Amino acid sequence: MDGLWFFLFAWIGWVWATFLMDKKNVYRFKLSLGLLLLIVASPYGIAYGGIEMQVSALILIAYILHETASLRKRAFISFFVSAFIVMLAYVSFLLFELFDPIWVIFDRIWMVALTSVCLCSFLQSNIRMRISILVSGLLQGEIVYSILMKRLLFPYPVATHAFLDILAVSVIVLAVWAGLSHTAFVAGTYINQGRGKQKTP
C-alpha cells in the first residue's frame, strides 16, 4: 500500500521530536511541525501549469528554500550541482522503469533509496546538506518526470504517497548510514587512543 513507509516513519519521527527530543534543541519545533504538516497535507492535491501535485510538494519546496536561503555562493553552487546529479539519477531510474521494468530486480523503493543515499554521501559530507540535497534532487526529479509524462499524455502527479515512501525510506537510510559512520569514527578514535596509551612506557 502506497504511503505505508511514509506514515510509519513520519509518525515515529513526530512522536520522537515532540515528546522525546531535548526541548532545548533548536530543530525540535521545526522537525515536529514539518512532519505534522506533511502528514496532514499528503492526501490533498492541486494543479498548477497543467501539472498535478500534492500539497506536500509545496511543503518540501518551502523546506528546500529555507535550507538554501543562508548558503553562500560556493556552497549554493555545490548544493545545486549535487541536487542536479541526484535528480538526473532519479529521472533516469523512472524512465528505465517505464520502458524496461524487468531490470528492477527488487523493491523499487529500496533501489532508489540506496542509490540516492550513496550519491548524497559521495557528494556531501554534512548530514544536514545530504538530507537537503536528497529532498531537492528527488523532488526535482518528480517534477521533471511529470513534465515528460505530460508530453506523452500520461498524467503523473508530483509527490504522491508512492514518492513520499521513497523519500521517507531514503532519509531513514541516510540517517542510519550517518549514525553508523559516526559510531565507527568514535570507536576508531577510542581504539587508537587505547593503543597509544599501551605504547606509552
Side-chain angles (χ1 to χ4, degrees):
M1 183 183 73
D2 290 341
L4 179 62
W5 288 109
F6 165 68
F7 284 116
L8 175 64
F9 290 136
W11 277 119
I12 291 175
W14 181 82
V15 170
W16 173 69
T18 305
F19 301 107
L20 303 176
M21 205 171 181
D22 186 358
K23 294 183 179 180
K24 295 181 180 180
N25 193 312
V26 294
Y27 300 111
R28 177 174 174 266
F29 176 75
K30 294 179 181 179
L31 180 59
S32 178
L33 178 62
L35 288 174
L36 188 60
L37 288 175
L38 278 177
I39 292 170
V40 173
S42 62
Y44 303 102
I46 59 173
Y48 179 77
I51 298 176
E52 297 180 20
M53 67 172 61
Q54 302 302 109
V55 178
S56 52
L58 301 179
I59 297 173
L60 294 174
I61 291 172
Y63 163 76
I64 296 167
L65 294 175
H66 177 268
E67 289 296 303
T68 57
S70 59
L71 293 179
R72 296 183 179 180
K73 184 176 180 180
R74 181 175 297 181
F76 180 80
I77 293 174
S78 175
F79 176 91
F80 176 81
V81 172
S82 299
F84 185 76
I85 292 172
V86 174
M87 180 267 289
L88 288 178
Y90 182 57
V91 173
S92 299
F93 176 90
L94 293 179
L95 290 174
F96 274 115
E97 182 185 36
L98 176 66
F99 293 109
D100 190 14
I102 195 171
W103 75 276
V104 182
I105 55 178
F106 60 94
D107 193 338
R108 66 189 298 272
I109 293 177
W110 291 96
M111 286 187 69
V112 175
L114 293 174
T115 303
S116 302
V117 168
C118 288
L119 283 174
C120 292
S121 299
F122 291 144
L123 294 169
Q124 294 289 337
S125 58
N126 182 276
I127 181 62
R128 184 174 172 181
M129 285 289 287
R130 286 177 180 176
I131 293 175
S132 300
I133 287 167
L134 182 69
V135 174
S136 179
L138 292 179
L139 185 59
Q140 289 181 60
E142 277 280 287
I143 295 172
V144 171
Y145 187 71
S146 179
I147 294 172
L148 293 175
M149 289 298 98
K150 180 187 174 185
R151 293 187 177 183
L152 295 175
L153 302 180
F154 292 109
Y156 181 85
V158 176
T160 60
H161 283 145
F163 167 77
L164 293 176
D165 278 342
I166 293 173
L167 184 61
V169 172
S170 299
V171 171
I172 292 299
V173 171
L174 186 57
V176 171
W177 187 327
L180 292 175
S181 299
H182 179 71
T183 302
F185 174 78
V186 172
T189 302
Y190 178 78
I191 292 172
N192 291 332
Q193 288 178 346
R195 289 176 178 175
K197 291 180 180 179
Q198 289 178 358
K199 293 179 180 179
T200 302

